Amino acid sequence: MKKALFALAMGTFALGISEFLMMGILGKIAGDLDVSISNAGHLISAYASGVCFGAPVLLFCRKMALKRIILYLAALIAIGNLFAFLAPGYWTLFAARFISGLPHGAYFGVGAIVARRLVKPGHEVAAVSFMIAGMTVATLVGVPLGTFITNTLTWRLAFLLVALSGVATFFALRYWVPDVGKLEDKGFKGQFRFLRTLPPWLIFGGVIFGQIGFYCWYSYIDPQLTHIARFPVESLSWLMILAGLGMFAGNSIVGAISSRFKPASLAASVELIGIPVMLLFYFFAYNQPSAIILMMLGTAILFGSGSPLQSSIVGYSKGGEMLGAASIQIAYNAGNAIAAWLGGLVINAGYGYASPSVVGLPLIALGSALLFYLYFRYERRQQPKST
């Protein structure tokens, strides 16, 4: 099943480039399309809007085979980014970014279900972690490559790279992923019944509060490194590679040890470790070696808590697995949006570029507490279906 999981990871690799590439090429796009940086920034919001809109569409795919759904999503990755490559102006690129975001949450949702069905019981979190590893590899290799292509040639070719990755994903899924069947159809209303129980809401809360806390810091990592640690702007390319390496390491380590722990306790513990890391970054970001080490630890924690929760929500969403697994991506994106606003708020209030690393600490603690409650209340005494 390694080839099948690799095919799933190819999709998250393409999505990772599509999501994170824009942050590093806004200036090039703004100049080429003759718009302001702030207007170019709306292209990031367009993608996030597509993520939030696309995930609930899975409600209407409940009778379809899982493999067919994920093939359609891979095709949509290719189509959206091909549209971006060909976009003649700002608004067509805006539309292309929205289309590119549509398959994001849905792919992670369906992909998590498929990955869990490909492995033996007890290895579900590791399988989902393997799938998510594609996104971490994207931050490590794909995004720097796309940035290099943009700076040396044109941003259009960077989007063409993502489109080709989507095409490759389609064929890999077509030939390497077996038919894993359908989900049991509980009807349209039946897909929402899992929301009457507490565990999914504890997971969503753990995701949103934890994500806000960490992304307050990571959203402003650029000025923290250049203004506080005083790295030259030219250093950001290789610093972002190190940040991506931290993401890859965090996801891989958690995936490797996931069979020994319950998902909620593992995710909660990883989030909790982030509190001293964020505190240390606040006090020692001025020191360049410390800033690098703490940045890599922070990004490792940021991605380390993801795979246990992405896997766990499936087990707690009986009858609405696709909706539950996709909704967690909405929670992540909502957390990211709030985090950027909150971090900017404290910076504009005059507390400095280091302040976002500590303003979210109470929220990290709250998110971790919700997940620990999930563990003690629902997971400690018996192995849940989510693991």
Side-chain angles (χ1 to χ4, degrees):
M1 295 302 172
K2 286 284 188 179
K3 289 170 66 175
L5 291 174
F6 182 78
L8 293 172
M10 288 176 63
T12 63
F13 174 80
L15 289 170
I17 304 176
S18 186
E19 180 179 12
F20 292 113
L21 173 65
M22 186 62 68
M23 285 74 165
I25 64 173
L26 279 181
K28 290 287 186 179
I29 290 180
D32 190 43
L33 299 181
D34 194 26
V35 297
S36 67
I37 289 291
S38 60
N39 282 336
H42 294 159
L43 298 172
I44 298 175
S45 300
Y47 187 93
S49 298
V51 175
C52 295
F53 184 83
V57 174
L58 288 176
L59 289 169
F60 303 98
C61 302
R62 63 185 185 277
K63 297 181 180 180
M64 195 178 297
L66 292 168
K67 182 175 179 178
R68 176 175 291 187
I69 297 173
I70 206 162
L71 283 172
Y72 286 153
L73 294 172
L76 195 55
I77 295 172
I79 291 169
N81 286 281
L82 181 61
F83 189 13
F85 165 68
L86 298 171
Y90 173 79
W91 287 110
T92 48
L93 182 57
F94 187 94
R97 289 293 293 167
F98 179 82
I99 295 171
S100 299
L102 290 174
H104 187 108
Y107 187 95
F108 274 88
V110 178
I113 298 170
V114 173
R116 286 165 57 90
R117 291 192 173 191
L118 291 172
V119 297
K120 297 177 181 178
H123 297 275
E124 292 92 341
V125 174
V128 175
S129 177
F130 192 101
M131 179 191 76
I132 294 176
M135 177 167 276
T136 65
V137 174
T139 63
L140 183 61
V141 179
V143 173
L145 177 60
T147 303
F148 175 78
I149 292 173
T150 297
N151 291 333
T152 56
L153 298 170
T154 171
W155 56 267
R156 295 184 182 276
L157 289 179
F159 286 115
L160 180 61
L161 170 68
V162 186
L164 293 175
S165 297
V167 172
T169 299
F170 179 89
F171 286 104
L173 292 170
R174 172 69 178 81
Y175 293 107
W176 290 348
V177 175
D179 184 359
V180 294
K182 306 177 181 179
L183 291 174
E184 184 181 357
D185 183 15
K186 298 287 187 178
F188 187 83
K189 292 182 178 179
Q191 294 183 85
F192 293 91
R193 290 196 183 103
F194 75 94
L195 294 174
R196 299 175 183 174
T197 62
L198 183 59
W201 295 106
L202 293 173
I203 292 174
F204 295 148
V207 166
I208 290 177
F209 290 121
Q211 196 76 355
I212 293 172
F214 286 114
Y215 254 84
C216 276
W217 160 71
Y218 193 62
S219 294
Y220 296 94
I221 193 66
D222 179 341
Q224 289 173 345
L225 292 174
T226 55
H227 289 77
I228 300 176
R230 299 191 180 279
F231 282 104
V233 174
E234 296 75 20
S235 301
L236 285 176
S237 295
W238 64 265
L239 287 170
M240 290 303 98
I241 292 177
L242 293 179
L245 181 61
M247 295 176 185
F248 178 80
N251 181 70
S252 300
I253 292 170
V254 169
I257 66 174
S258 61
S259 60
R260 306 176 191 175
F261 302 94
K262 305 292 178 67
S265 65
L266 182 58
S269 299
V270 171
E271 285 193 3
L272 201 59
I273 294 171
I275 293 179
V277 172
M278 293 295 98
L279 278 172
L280 288 171
F281 190 92
Y282 179 80
F283 288 109
F284 295 100
Y286 67 89
N287 180 270
Q288 291 187 348
S290 298
I292 291 175
I293 294 171
L294 292 168
M295 176 191 69
M296 294 180 69
L297 286 173
T299 56
I301 291 164
L302 184 64
F303 265 66
S305 64
S307 51
L309 299 178
Q310 184 74 61
S311 177
S312 186
I313 189 63
V314 176
Y316 288 117
S317 306
K318 189 64 176 177
E321 290 89 347
M322 284 195 296
L323 178 62
S327 293
I328 200 171
Q329 291 298 316
I330 296 178
Y332 277 117
N333 278 269
N336 293 350
I338 296 171
W341 168 80
L342 182 59
L345 194 66
V346 295
I347 290 174
N348 291 334
Y351 291 100
Y353 288 118
S355 59
S357 63
V358 293
V359 71
L361 293 185
L363 297 175
I364 295 174
L366 177 56
S368 182
L370 292 174
L371 296 175
F372 272 124
Y373 180 78
L374 175 64
Y375 166 68
F376 285 109
R377 177 66 177 83
Y378 294 95
E379 292 188 359
R380 181 173 58 166
R381 294 184 178 179
Q382 60 180 12
Q383 190 78 358
K385 295 179 181 179
S386 57
T387 60

